[in-house]
Amino acid sequence: MPDSTVTVVGNLTRDPEIRYTTGGAAKASFGVAVSRRWQNRQSQEWEEQTSFFNVVCWREMAENVSESLGKGSRVVVTGRLEQRSWETENGEKRSVVEIVADEVGPSLRWATAQVTRNERRGGGASDFGGGGAGGGTGGGGAAAPAGGGGAAKPAENNYADYGEEPF
């Protein structure tokens, strides 16, 4: 079954938090608030609804995101929904649905960005068969993952695909 792709446009609710697995893979996580605004036809009043999403990105993109974006930055995130479950120290079962990002970039609707292409890391294709274009900042700094073509990402990714267990 093909992956379902989601795209959200919103503002970071917190600075990206970067952590490294025991194998050295970077993982960045951050929140995105997406607001929808409409006018109530009966009352003519403006109404607003905000949804909050947790986003996770890996490796070079994780490092680029943590260096480039901060709380309040307006971003475009494309990825897939993935559910993750775990058990707390008290034995309670927990579950969360996250967006695992394939691409993260600045929204240029109300801002400009300076994009700088990074050198390829590792001398060869990444785990995903190459990089993608994109990246940038929410308002001033520079960043972008390495460009290039290559094979598509694996059809199904979870933490085991990265050779590590979740944090």
Side-chain angles (χ1 to χ4, degrees), residues 126-161:
S126 71
D127 289 345
F128 303 120
T137 67
K153 292 186 179 183
E156 187 174 317
N157 283 328
N158 58 35
Y159 289 100
D161 290 336

Side-chain angles (χ1 to χ4, degrees), residues 21-93:
T21 65
T22 55
K27 174 192 172 195
S29 57
F30 55 94
V32 175
V34 179
S35 296
R36 185 173 78 91
R37 191 172 173 209
W38 68 94
Q39 190 172 24
N40 184 315
R41 292 185 184 191
Q42 294 175 342
S43 68
Q44 300 302 312
E45 297 289 324
W46 285 98
E47 297 182 18
E48 186 171 328
Q49 178 184 358
T50 303
S51 299
F52 297 91
F53 299 94
N54 289 322
V55 180
V56 173
C57 52
W58 288 91
R59 304 206 183 274
E60 288 84 6
M61 183 176 13
E63 292 174 344
N64 291 336
V65 163
S66 73
E67 292 174 19
S68 304
L69 301 173
K71 181 178 178 179
S73 298
R74 188 161 179 82
V75 294
V76 179
V77 176
T78 300
R80 67 193 177 284
L81 296 176
E82 195 169 282
Q83 184 173 1
R84 182 169 54 93
S85 301
W86 71 96
E87 194 171 306
T88 67
E89 293 175 358
N90 299 333
E92 299 170 342
K93 295 185 185 229

